[in-house]
Amino acid sequence: SFHLEHLARTTARPDQISQLRKTILGLAVMGRLGTSSIGDGPAIDELAVVEALKRKLQLRKPRAIPTISATEQWCELPSTWTWSRWDQVTDWITYGFTRPMPHVPVGIPIVTGKNVNYGTIDLSTADHTSEVAFANLNDKDRPIEGDILLTKDGSIGRSAIVMDGQQFCINQSVAVLWLRCCHFDRRYLQLAIECPQTQAALLARTAGVAIKHISIIDFGKMVFPVPPIAEQRRIVDKVDRLMSLCDNWEAQLRTAETERLSLLDALFHQVLAPSNKETH
């Protein structure tokens, strides 16, 4: 709160905003942004609803979920929160096709890791495959609205939510989290992936490896904090507002930096430019 109140005096460089964003995400998933409410029910009940629906629908063969130990819990949570493994809230964590696909100038976009940015799926630079080839793919290769994509090869850990009206297929560099039985706020789940704690855990699993790779089995076992549904939405709203402040201040800093460099350039030009006056 102090830092945000005195942002203009405590933050002087655009690169400092990046660390502030990470701090905000870290505090958000630990329940430290002041978003709790007395009327919130326990998150463990919401998690039980997800698990019950998974057992009922049996979209995938159920996997045994190990009990979360105290050593895995990387912070103390508010009393209404609970811990979950990603395998508990997902129906399936898998990845896209591995075989070569026909490429056509116009068709269905093929999303690879490069097309998944933090929060967005950029189809403008994607290659395309034919509608016939797309129709012959497995369901796991064709994400639907509400699924979450996660880059798992090379530049790992970037995520994005599949929105309504987006039709594409994914290759093996992109993992997909099926959330067909999960009613949790997708944006909160994305924040839980992007938070510094999860990102650090992902990098730790790839330490010493030249080409980074996320094991989807390992990811499914990772833990993350789950707040009550209503608080999930409040967290998303507050994070969005704080990130907007960061965006505005970052833009001001970049403008100031551009103006400073322009003034320096003009000064150097005037100092170093040859004089038009004749010297005697």
Side-chain angles (χ1 to χ4, degrees), residues 132-151:
V132 172
F134 177 77
N136 289 329
L137 288 170
N138 295 321
D139 287 343
K140 73 180 187 66
D141 307 324
R142 301 176 299 191
I144 65 172
E145 178 186 0
D147 291 343
I148 294 181
L149 304 185
L150 175 68
T151 57

Side-chain angles (χ1 to χ4, degrees), residues 114-133:
K114 69 178 183 180
N115 304 116
V116 180
N117 297 314
Y118 290 101
T120 61
I121 302 171
D122 182 10
L123 301 180
S124 65
T125 59
D127 293 328
H128 297 79
T129 193
S130 66
E131 293 189 13
V132 172

Side-chain angles (χ1 to χ4, degrees), residues 8 189 198 223 272:
L189 295 177
T198 299
V223 303
L272 300 177

Side-chain angles (χ1 to χ4, degrees), residues 156-217:
I156 63 173
R158 298 195 306 272
S159 63
I161 304 165
V162 181
M163 300 299 182
D164 182 27
Q166 289 185 310
Q167 188 181 55
F168 56 84
C169 53
I170 58 174
N171 79 345
Q172 62 186 339
S173 68
V174 180
V176 57
L177 281 61
W178 278 29
L179 296 157
R180 318 293 165 87
C181 293
C182 183
H183 60 294
F184 292 177
D185 189 289
R186 298 301 194 266
R187 279 278 290 117
Y188 174 78
L189 295 177
Q190 186 193 0
L191 295 180
I193 294 174
E194 293 184 355
C195 74
Q197 297 90 335
T198 299
Q199 293 292 310
L202 291 173
L203 288 176
R205 284 167 168 77
T206 62
V209 180
I211 300 178
K212 305 297 183 184
H213 167 77
I214 296 174
S215 162
I216 57 174
I217 294 177

Side-chain angles (χ1 to χ4, degrees), residues 11-70:
T11 306
R13 302 192 315 271
D15 60 285
Q16 292 176 313
I17 300 293
S18 176
Q19 184 57 48
L20 178 57
R21 293 182 196 277
K22 293 178 182 178
T23 300
I24 291 170
L25 289 179
L27 294 173
V29 299
M30 292 191 294
R32 303 292 192 270
L33 287 184
T35 53
S36 62
S37 174
I38 297 176
D40 291 339
I44 195 168
D45 290 349
E46 301 286 356
L47 188 58
V49 170
V50 175
E51 294 178 306
L53 187 57
K54 286 175 62 177
R55 288 192 298 270
K56 178 182 178 180
L57 297 183
Q58 292 279 311
L59 297 179
R60 299 293 300 173
K61 183 179 179 180
R63 178 179 293 175
I65 309 294
T67 302
I68 297 174
S69 66

